[in-house]
Amino acid sequence: MTREEILQVISKVFADTLDEDNIVLSESSKADDVEGWDSLTHVQLVVAVEKQFKIRFTAKEIQSWKNVGELIDSINSKL
Amino acid sequence: MQTFAALKKNLKKDYTGLVPLKLALLGDSATQLLSQALRGAAYDEGFDLQIWEADFGQVERQVFDEGSELYAFEPSIVVIFQSAHKLLGTYNKLKPEAFSLLADNRMDLVGNMYSQLKEKLNARIIYYNYTEINDAVFGSYSNKVASSFPFQLRKLNYRLMEFAAATPDFFVCDLSTIQNQYGKSAIFQSSIYINTEMVLSVDTLPEVAVKTLDIIKALNGRFKKCVILDLDNTTWGGIIGDDGLENIQIGSLGIGKAFSEFQYWVKKLQKRGIIVAVCSKNTERIAKEPFEKHPDMVLRLEDIAVFVANWETKVDNIRHIQSILNIGFDSMVFLDDNPFERNIVRDNIAGITVPELPEDPAEYLEYLYTLNLFETVSYSGEDAERTKQYQVEAQRAVLQKSFGSEDEFLQSLEMVSVVEPFTKFNTPRVAQLSQRSNQFNLRTVRYTEADIESMADNNAYAPFTFTLVDKFGDNGLICIIILKKESADTLFIETWLMSCRVLKRGMEDFTLNTIVNYAKDNGFAYLKGEYIPTPKNEMVKDHFKKLGFREAGSYWQLDVAAHENKKCFIVKKSNND
């Protein structure tokens, strides 16, 4: 899977989980840039992404991402 | 089960017209998502659950500070979630000599919290029990070491049950069972816990929310009273009409074990007061044969309140069963292995619960366990008698046809009613009847045992309970009237409710005579009644009018001096006679 493909998949996961159709994610997107992405919904997003890719993140990874690109790094390392 | 995301979508829906309920959620871990799950799940059950959530870790402060936001909110339900993980944290910090006091100390806290809450609030308390954590310090040997964490945790869960059994308004929500059903790896996610202080996984939240709501629904009079069974391939394996008595699978034949165990489960439900009915497409004589003759059958004809086997549609037959039992469709569960029958029943009878039984009968029971269909908030000895009472009702119906006039029939029943105030013996039954009665219930006030106890000691109330015995049997305590002394000359009928199984026996007249006489003897001039409509109590819309009350605004009034005792065939008895 290319990074671009992963980005598209997680964009859809974010849209479903946050119930916001107009989410446009890029590698540089941060929580502050995305409507509805806060510390509470972060948990749901993590779990939803884990389910989508059938992977598990470590506790450290969950708190390490500064933007969507780093999330993609974590996903990529597990595929 | 709905997903958490689906429950969360409910939060954006329209809540107008739903039943409002105020709930306070106090937890020692992060409960924001649980709160969302609760409100979302409540929407599906028709409740507008208004939740006030304490900041996490504020359980004790909110409970013991009389000026806290908790008390300002005035909830009718308080949910307390003290987690096993925080309990382990507490244990870890104890001096070793204090390890073995963990459970007792926690129970002291729970008892104190309960007393404090009850003093300040008219609320029911729901407390989550503890999911098991074995810290593997002693291995299985911890079962022999009272100071070990597993020993203390299990002791605590046991002591919670003891406390709940003795404390009417304290309900344990069985989180531990959820962990048993789904496994620890499903209900707990370490990486999330380490990052967020959340001890429940996102996927478990709906399970926990629904289990909590099961209790809340039961507290609001919504619980199951009856299970209707299909026979072929549901109650036994095979088709009785084709296979014959010797070849149906039950006991040791084929996969009979699955059906035997299923029948034991139904029998336990029946013993605890769930009405069991049969609805089968069969010739009646053939369908009854296994119940009468098969040595391995667990269920017998005397366990079945209403037995319907014919070639009519199941929809018509279930409607017929409902008309005999006189309970709402929403309190009925229909179990049938055939998806076609299930769909027809589901589509045509609003409110009835029709579980999607698994294809393999071996899985019926485990599946039914997960549904928690028969949650309740009360249990009394009379529950076990219920089947007999409904069967006797069917006999009375046959007798009635043989009498010329209704008076003759009523006289032949030799009815006796014991009239008593609230006592410690009838308190559980009174509370339960107030929760169960939906149709013949003028104001639909639900009482807990604690409410009943406090009214029994309060001079402002004059409570009456009525039993009814006739020549066929004892109906037990079937009617409650609670009069409130509203002013020097007026008694307000705060509650008037009656079990529907004693309708048309003259009980309405008998109870009216009783309270009128009480009013006269105690110098009151008026009885004041009120009818509060609900979706279920239309039956008593004209109750006061029929009994001779005059309309007075939104109330009904009876001048007791002008009342002449109505003719009835029930003999009054008090227990000290």
Side-chain angles (χ1 to χ4, degrees):
Chain A
M1 234 179 176
T2 66
R3 292 182 70 90
E4 183 53 32
E5 285 166 346
I6 295 175
L7 181 66
Q8 279 184 7
V9 172
I10 56 178
S11 294
K12 187 168 181 323
V13 171
F14 271 51
D16 287 347
T17 307
L18 300 175
D19 205 12
E20 295 274 351
D21 292 338
N22 310 323
I23 287 180
V24 184
L25 290 184
S26 70
E27 293 229 4
S28 61
S29 301
K30 298 190 193 49
D32 289 348
D33 308 332
V34 179
E35 177 80 24
W37 185 2
D38 55 31
S39 59
L40 217 52
T41 51
H42 186 64
V43 176
Q44 285 175 261
L45 292 169
V46 168
V47 173
V49 171
E50 285 182 335
K51 261 199 191 140
Q52 177 68 42
F53 291 96
K54 300 191 175 64
I55 54 174
R56 273 284 171 115
F57 297 117
T58 65
K60 205 168 168 181
E61 282 170 323
I62 290 170
Q63 51 176 242
S64 70
W65 307 312
K66 294 190 182 56
N67 55 39
V68 169
E70 295 187 16
L71 169 61
I72 294 174
D73 292 340
S74 289
I75 296 169
N76 226 348
S77 71
K78 292 171 196 291
L79 292 178
Chain B
M1 185 65 61
Q2 299 256 45
T3 62
F4 177 71
L7 293 182
K8 214 175 146 185
K9 287 207 170 87
N10 282 350
L11 302 181
K12 294 183 180 167
K13 291 184 181 160
D14 182 6
Y15 279 67
T16 44
L18 303 193
V19 178
L21 269 183
K22 285 164 91 174
L23 178 147
L25 176 61
L26 301 113
D28 62 5
S29 60
T31 52
Q32 296 96 323
L33 296 189
L34 175 60
S35 167
Q36 293 177 347
L38 279 168
R39 183 164 164 78
Y43 176 88
D44 288 335
E45 297 293 348
F47 293 112
D48 174 7
L49 200 59
Q50 297 157 8
I51 303 180
W52 173 83
E53 198 188 341
D55 291 338
F56 101 79
Q58 295 277 302
V59 182
E60 288 97 327
R61 193 191 78 71
Q62 287 292 340
V63 173
F64 293 114
D65 173 2
E66 297 187 1
S68 68
E69 296 101 309
L70 166 65
Y71 296 115
F73 179 65
E74 295 187 325
S76 62
I77 297 158
V78 178
V79 174
I80 301 178
F81 178 21
Q82 296 188 293
S83 64
H85 290 85
K86 292 289 167 179
L87 185 75
L88 179 59
T90 304
Y91 175 88
N92 289 341
K93 292 186 197 93
L94 292 174
K95 295 205 171 76
E97 57 271 26
F99 282 164
S100 53
L101 296 174
L102 182 77
D104 292 340
N105 288 342
R106 177 54 58 97
M107 280 314 297
D108 286 346
L109 173 67
V110 170
N112 289 338
M113 287 199 294
Y114 178 80
S115 310
Q116 182 73 18
L117 287 166
K118 285 309 286 181
E119 198 171 298
K120 295 267 164 278
L121 293 172
N122 183 18
R124 283 71 177 267
I125 319 301
I126 297 175
Y127 192 90
Y128 292 138
N129 68 1
Y130 293 81
T131 54
E132 290 212 1
I133 300 176
N134 191 326
D135 60 2
V137 170
F138 286 95
S140 293
Y141 195 76
S142 63
N143 288 284
K144 286 160 80 76
V145 181
S147 63
S148 71
F149 184 70
F151 193 106
Q152 288 296 311
L153 185 144
R154 288 179 180 158
K155 178 178 175 182
L156 180 51
N157 275 345
Y158 176 73
R159 287 208 51 197
L160 277 171
M161 291 193 280
E162 283 189 319
F163 182 71
T167 314
D169 279 347
F170 183 86
F171 300 90
V172 171
C173 181
D174 210 331
L175 208 57
S176 181
T177 286
I178 297 180
Q179 179 163 305
N180 287 342
Q181 275 165 349
Y182 299 95
K184 190 166 177 187
S185 59
I187 99 155
F188 177 73
Q189 189 172 349
S190 315
S191 60
I192 299 291
Y193 166 67
I194 294 299
N195 275 295
T196 64
E197 294 285 337
M198 268 181 58
V199 296
L200 296 171
S201 71
V202 173
D203 289 344
T204 301
L205 291 166
E207 303 286 344
V208 176
V210 164
K211 195 128 189 137
T212 311
L213 270 167
D214 285 343
I215 298 176
I216 294 171
K217 272 157 55 188
L219 283 169
N220 284 276
R222 298 213 345 236
F223 46 83
K224 304 299 177 211
K225 298 174 181 173
C226 168
V227 58
I228 303 173
L229 302 176
D230 167 56
L231 296 179
D232 294 333
N233 286 317
T234 302
T235 301
W236 53 67
I239 296 167
I240 184 68
D242 294 340
D243 299 337
L245 186 63
E246 308 76 32
N247 294 315
I248 56 167
Q249 296 176 41
I250 183 94
S252 53
L253 188 64
I255 59 162
K257 186 160 112 186
F259 296 101
S260 296
E261 292 190 358
F262 172 78
Q263 288 195 23
Y264 274 112
W265 180 68
V266 174
K267 184 119 176 170
K268 283 187 289 182
L269 288 172
Q270 189 265 335
K271 293 270 177 241
R272 95 119 167 93
I274 300 294
I275 305 159
V276 181
V278 162
C279 176
S280 166
K281 277 191 176 155
N282 256 313
T283 303
E284 182 172 342
R285 179 182 54 77
I286 295 172
K288 282 187 171 170
E289 222 184 339
F291 289 88
E292 293 161 337
K293 295 183 187 157
H294 200 297
D296 293 329
M297 279 290 286
V298 177
L299 292 170
R300 295 286 166 185
L301 282 184
E302 65 261 27
D303 300 321
I304 312 298
V306 185
F307 197 109
V308 182
N310 56 36
W311 299 95
E312 306 295 319
T313 71
K314 296 223 169 176
V315 171
D316 285 342
N317 282 333
I318 291 173
R319 290 203 177 114
H320 171 67
I321 290 170
Q322 190 271 341
S323 74
I324 294 178
L325 298 176
N326 234 325
I327 57 176
F329 286 119
D330 59 358
S331 65
M332 296 178 160
V333 176
F334 174 56
L335 297 179
D336 195 316
D337 66 299
N338 183 334
F340 173 77
E341 300 285 8
R342 291 200 297 256
N343 281 332
I344 289 193
V345 169
R346 210 179 276 132
D347 290 349
N348 288 284
I349 301 183
I352 192 167
T353 299
V354 186
E356 273 301 289
L357 285 181
E359 225 178 291
D360 183 356
E363 290 172 20
Y364 285 175
L365 261 193
E366 283 301 325
Y367 168 72
L368 288 165
Y369 291 166
T370 65
L371 298 184
N372 191 31
L373 290 166
F374 297 97
E375 187 64 67
T376 184
V377 289
S378 62
Y379 174 69
S380 76
E382 295 199 20
D383 290 350
E385 294 293 307
R386 200 165 292 129
T387 299
K388 208 170 147 211
Q389 288 158 352
Y390 281 108
Q391 288 169 337
V392 167
E393 189 54 43
Q395 287 176 26
R396 278 189 201 100
V398 173
L399 177 76
Q400 184 159 17
K401 286 183 190 153
S402 66
F403 278 92
S405 78
E406 187 163 323
D407 282 4
E408 268 177 73
F409 164 68
L410 290 175
Q411 206 151 15
S412 77
L413 288 175
E414 299 161 19
M415 294 181 285
V416 176
S417 174
V418 174
V419 183
E420 278 193 313
F422 296 156
T423 67
K424 66 176 192 284
F425 301 107
N426 66 27
T427 297
R429 170 62 180 160
V430 169
Q432 184 194 46
L433 195 58
S434 83
Q435 288 153 10
R436 293 181 70 93
S437 299
N438 295 313
Q439 299 179 88
F440 196 116
N441 197 337
L442 273 303
R443 296 180 74 246
T444 320
V445 184
R446 311 290 188 194
Y447 301 100
T448 64
E449 290 183 31
D451 295 333
I452 299 300
E453 282 165 13
S454 77
M455 274 188 285
D457 298 334
N458 186 341
N459 276 334
Y461 289 95
F464 297 85
T465 69
F466 301 85
T467 68
L468 185 64
V469 183
D470 66 23
K471 71 173 181 185
F472 289 109
D474 189 350
N475 292 283
L477 196 161
I478 40 70
C479 175
I480 300 164
I481 300 180
I482 300 172
L483 302 179
K484 188 174 183 187
K485 296 168 190 170
E486 190 176 85
S487 66
D489 63 355
T490 302
L491 287 165
F492 176 61
I493 303 169
E494 179 177 299
T495 282
W496 189 333
L497 63 86
M498 199 169 86
S499 163
C500 285
R501 60 174 190 255
V502 297
L503 283 175
K504 296 189 183 152
R505 308 275 285 278
M507 201 65 203
E508 297 92 320
D509 293 335
F510 175 75
T511 51
L512 178 68
N513 290 347
T514 306
I515 59 173
V516 166
N517 290 337
Y518 172 86
K520 283 179 180 165
D521 292 348
N522 290 278
F524 291 93
Y526 303 104
L527 284 170
K528 179 175 152 191
E530 184 185 21
Y531 165 69
I532 302 177
T534 71
K536 291 190 168 173
N537 71 352
E538 205 186 326
M539 165 197 280
V540 289
K541 190 166 59 117
D542 297 322
H543 173 74
F544 289 117
K545 192 174 172 180
K546 283 185 204 154
L547 292 178
F549 283 62
R550 271 187 310 105
E551 202 160 359
S554 58
Y555 294 96
W556 294 85
Q557 202 175 48
L558 184 75
D559 180 352
V560 297
H563 175 82
E564 281 180 30
N565 270 354
K566 291 182 181 276
K567 179 169 93 177
C568 71
F569 299 95
I570 302 170
V571 177
K572 180 176 170 179
K573 199 177 154 227
S574 60
N575 248 355
N576 38 15
D577 285 359

